[in-house]
Amino acid sequence: MPQPALPQLHPLLRTLTLGLVCLLAACNRAGDPVYRDQFFAFGTLIDLTFHGVDTPRAEQASRALEQTFRQMHSDWHAWQPGALQQANAGLAEHGQASVDPAMAALIQEANRLSTLSNGLFNPVIGRLVALWGFHNDEPPQGPPPAADRIRQLVEQVPASTDVRVDDGQIHSRNPAVRYDLGAFAKGYAIDRGIEQLKELGILHAIINAGGDLRAIGRHGNRPWRIGIRDPRKPGVLASIEPAGDESVFTSGDYERFYEHEGRRYHHIIDPRSGYPAGATVSATVIHPVAATADAAATALFVAGPDAWPAIARQMGVKYVMLVDREGRIHLNPAMQARLKFESEPEAIVMSEAL
Ligand code: ADP
Ligand code: MG
């Protein structure tokens, strides 16, 4: 999750900018049932699309969402000052920290999903992610970290099962545990955003954070239609129509990476080796809950072309597509039935095991 600093715009400038964004997106013209807006949070543009909502209500909801997202972004940031950073400082100094109920719930859910993924989605490898230089707004420059420093961290085996959450406190029995929720917080935030929209009576909407999204309801008399990015060239690999209330999340090696001496080092780390997971270039998951989809996309990326069906089953995920380093598409029949490829894939590896 890239997280550059939030732009601090003068309120008037901000209003003008948003107005312009709205104008460019031709949002909610008279008679147009679609309202679109964007704001910046979690290091990416958050795109909102509402169908069939009148402009004043849509604008009000959009502002409310923007506020919630900015708050969550700063509370859960992995390396900028905020509640998560304080919790990590407490773990580092005393092996425990106070957390508010929202943070406790977030951490508990991350821990639960981590266990279901056999630790391949591991939200407590903050020190490894930092060592690789990804606790930074800009991608790092090579060379990669020294092998013995990576080994030292891997040998301490930080695991979410080392952490106990109770009574407003988190306790870790492993001094190497540091939370980095970059693989999960965006999904969790989108779920909170969708709850907020439903409470406001908005039932047909998409919250899209840089291609990772949850969609509810429909686009009028047809379903929503969304594209899944091709991991190796500009454009769309396939499109899908989310049904009712569904999230679509992709983890890719193209999101944050650097190259050194002809090798790509990206931001999804295999906690078992301490190195970027090598066999996958993108993993896409459809699941009703965005937090699960986000954690699972990361876990299945790490699991790779052989191990993904077993991990997907454990995580309760029913639709998966992986693109491997050779460009082969790995998926299960239910996922294939949901996808419309832009062009016929050259190689498909079907897994009946899911
Ligand atoms: P993105 O947010 O770019 O779509 P992910 O959801 O896969 O991609 O999240 C990647 C981020 O999660 C990394 O930048 C890092 O902060 C963190 N991370 C890296 N490897 C893991 C892992 N195995 N488990 C959990 N978090 C990870
Ligand atoms: Mg993820």
Side-chain angles (χ1 to χ4, degrees):
M1 179 176 62
Q3 310 186 21
L6 295 172
Q8 295 297 324
L9 296 181
H10 183 280
L12 181 63
L13 189 60
R14 190 170 155 279
T15 311
L16 285 173
T17 313
L18 285 171
L20 189 65
V21 168
C22 235
L23 213 65
L24 290 174
C27 64
N28 221 25
R29 290 181 308 250
D32 187 345
V34 175
Y35 172 91
R36 297 199 63 191
D37 199 2
Q38 299 182 313
F39 55 83
F40 200 76
F42 288 95
T44 188
L45 266 182
I46 312 283
D47 260 295
L48 304 178
T49 311
F50 305 154
H51 190 278
V53 184
D54 63 63
T55 309
R57 224 154 55 87
E59 278 172 355
Q60 198 187 1
S62 175
R63 295 289 71 75
L65 236 57
E66 180 174 3
Q67 215 173 13
T68 319
F69 268 75
R70 292 225 162 139
Q71 188 63 51
M72 294 188 289
H73 178 224
S74 77
D75 285 349
W76 304 340
H77 206 289
W79 70 87
Q80 282 172 11
L84 188 67
Q85 205 190 46
Q86 274 173 27
N88 276 333
L91 290 177
E93 282 165 39
H94 320 289
Q96 66 179 67
S98 300
V99 288
D100 69 16
M103 176 76 81
L106 169 81
I107 284 179
Q108 239 156 353
E109 184 59 3
N111 292 352
R112 188 184 75 83
L113 289 164
S114 181
T115 305
L116 291 177
S117 77
N118 291 0
L120 300 184
F121 159 66
N122 186 335
V124 298
I125 55 167
R127 290 177 69 190
L128 258 178
V129 180
L131 179 64
W132 276 96
F134 289 111
H135 280 180
N136 217 309
D137 293 341
E138 297 304 321
Q141 307 285 325
D148 61 331
R149 295 191 62 199
I150 295 173
R151 196 175 338 107
Q152 268 170 24
L153 289 181
V154 171
E155 280 171 358
Q156 295 184 65
V157 206
S160 59
T161 46
D162 294 325
V163 180
R164 191 163 45 84
V165 185
D166 61 32
D167 245 1
Q169 293 271 321
I170 52 173
H171 308 259
S172 171
R173 58 181 179 196
N174 184 337
V177 162
R178 297 292 181 282
Y179 275 91
D180 172 333
L181 298 169
F184 168 71
K186 211 163 53 183
Y188 194 87
I190 288 178
D191 287 331
R192 303 290 76 76
I194 290 289
E195 272 173 17
Q196 200 174 351
L197 287 182
K198 286 179 177 172
E199 278 162 19
L200 293 168
I202 296 179
L203 303 177
H204 304 277
I206 298 181
I207 304 180
N208 182 348
D212 292 333
L213 59 90
R214 180 163 165 183
I216 54 172
R218 294 167 66 78
H219 181 287
N221 55 11
R222 67 164 173 85
W224 296 109
R225 192 168 302 135
I226 59 131
I228 298 165
R229 179 178 159 176
D230 191 309
R232 282 296 177 264
K233 54 181 199 284
V236 167
L237 177 66
S239 60
I240 84 141
E241 295 183 347
D245 184 349
E246 272 187 327
S247 310
V248 185
F249 274 67
T250 299
S251 279
D253 71 351
Y254 49 82
E255 290 284 357
R256 303 194 76 202
F257 67 92
Y258 61 100
E259 273 165 3
H260 182 72
E261 294 177 351
R263 278 200 62 178
R264 176 185 292 223
Y265 297 98
H266 63 80
H267 69 318
I268 303 171
I269 310 292
D270 185 334
R272 300 165 296 188
S273 67
Y275 283 79
T280 319
V281 300
S282 77
T284 301
V285 166
I286 309 177
H287 191 272
V289 181
T292 307
D294 198 356
T298 306
L300 300 177
F301 185 106
V302 176
D306 298 327
W308 71 264
I311 302 294
R313 260 201 319 276
Q314 267 177 218
M315 298 187 83
V317 168
K318 298 203 167 62
Y319 306 96
V320 179
M321 172 174 68
L322 253 61
V323 182
D324 73 17
R325 226 173 18 191
E326 280 74 42
R328 286 185 297 250
I329 310 267
H330 301 253
L331 36 59
N332 60 309
M335 182 62 149
Q336 190 182 36
R338 304 278 317 263
L339 292 169
K340 208 167 138 214
F341 284 97
E342 282 294 294
S343 56
E344 204 50 46
E346 277 172 25
I348 286 193
V349 185
M350 189 66 71
S351 172
E352 307 286 344
L354 185 62

